[in-house]
Amino acid sequence: DVGLLSGLFAEAAPLAGAGDAILLPKVGELGGVPTAFAGAPDVSLWGNTSTTAHIADSGILVAAVHPTDPSAGQSFVLLAASGLGGSAPSLLPVGRVRPKLSASLTAEPMHAIHVCATGGCAADEPRLWASAGAGDSAYLLSVGLVTGVAVKVTSPWPPSAGRRVVALAGNETHLMAISAEAAGDVGSAEVASGTLAAAAPEVRVARYDDLLRKRSDEL
């Protein structure tokens, strides 16, 4: 997916690294295979406030985890990052959100996630947005990081478009979804391998409030 989108940023200057590399917990410690990641500010900054405050050496990394044991269900692990930019950065698991999903939704790994933890989008609670599936099985999932309540949201692209969301991003008011054309009937194997047709990416943007009002179901 990164390779497909790299052309969008061909003129961007390379990013310079700072500090030592940070090691992810092992699959056994996470309870499954991480399929997508998203970053968020330090928890002390979460809430319905717009702030320019920034804690440079710490933050939260959220990992979408596809379980090795199918009966365990999908989950999102919150990892506290500290010492960023230094010689000994670390990641410490601090929580797990395990939304209640129907069997039809647990089969597909989450392949893109985004966390909105500050500002208007966190008015009720910080929320995690995730994407899974493709074509007629594609959907967005919005999960409250305090209550754990999961809401299924209609995909930005109609089933007939044959698109798969490959990246999610956003600000305090809007969610941005980037999609690629799915190559055939995309399932778990294709998600893992990143098999996509050679077609231009598409971008769609929507207000969080509008997506939640048009939700298809509370799970």
Side-chain angles (χ1 to χ4, degrees):
D1 297 350
V2 174
L4 179 66
L5 298 175
S6 61
L8 294 176
F9 310 100
E11 303 302 320
L15 295 175
D20 291 347
I22 192 166
L23 298 178
L24 290 171
K26 296 179 179 179
V27 169
E29 296 173 338
L30 290 175
V33 179
T35 58
F37 296 94
D42 189 88
V43 174
S44 64
L45 302 178
W46 288 19
N48 184 22
T49 56
S50 296
T51 176
T52 57
H54 180 62
I55 302 175
D57 63 350
S58 65
I60 294 292
L61 180 68
V62 181
V65 176
H66 194 63
T68 50
D69 177 3
S71 65
Q74 300 270 8
S75 66
F76 302 95
V77 177
L78 278 66
L79 304 154
S82 61
L84 300 177
S87 59
S90 64
L91 280 176
L92 177 66
V94 293
R96 182 187 298 271
V97 177
R98 198 186 300 274
K100 294 181 179 180
L101 304 177
S102 64
S104 62
L105 299 184
T106 58
E108 295 284 356
M110 304 295 171
H111 47 247
I113 61 175
H114 168 67
V115 177
C116 191
T118 62
C121 60
D124 295 327
E125 61 180 317
R127 302 197 71 86
L128 180 147
W129 295 80
S131 173
D136 58 4
S137 66
Y139 67 92
L140 290 177
L141 190 69
S142 180
V143 182
L145 291 179
V146 176
T147 62
V149 173
V151 175
K152 184 182 177 184
V153 180
T154 303
S155 173
W157 284 268
S160 59
R163 309 292 297 185
R164 179 166 77 89
V165 174
V166 295
L168 293 173
N171 56 18
E172 294 183 1
T173 58
H174 289 76
L175 179 72
M176 180 177 71
I178 301 173
S179 77
E181 185 177 1
D185 185 14
V186 177
S188 299
E190 288 82 358
V191 168
S193 64
T195 303
L196 298 172
E202 292 182 4
V203 178
R204 291 191 176 179
V205 178
R207 291 184 62 88
Y208 297 111
D209 291 346
D210 291 341
L211 288 172
L212 290 173
R213 276 196 293 268
K214 297 176 182 177
R215 69 191 190 189
S216 56
D217 196 12
E218 183 171 305
L219 304 174

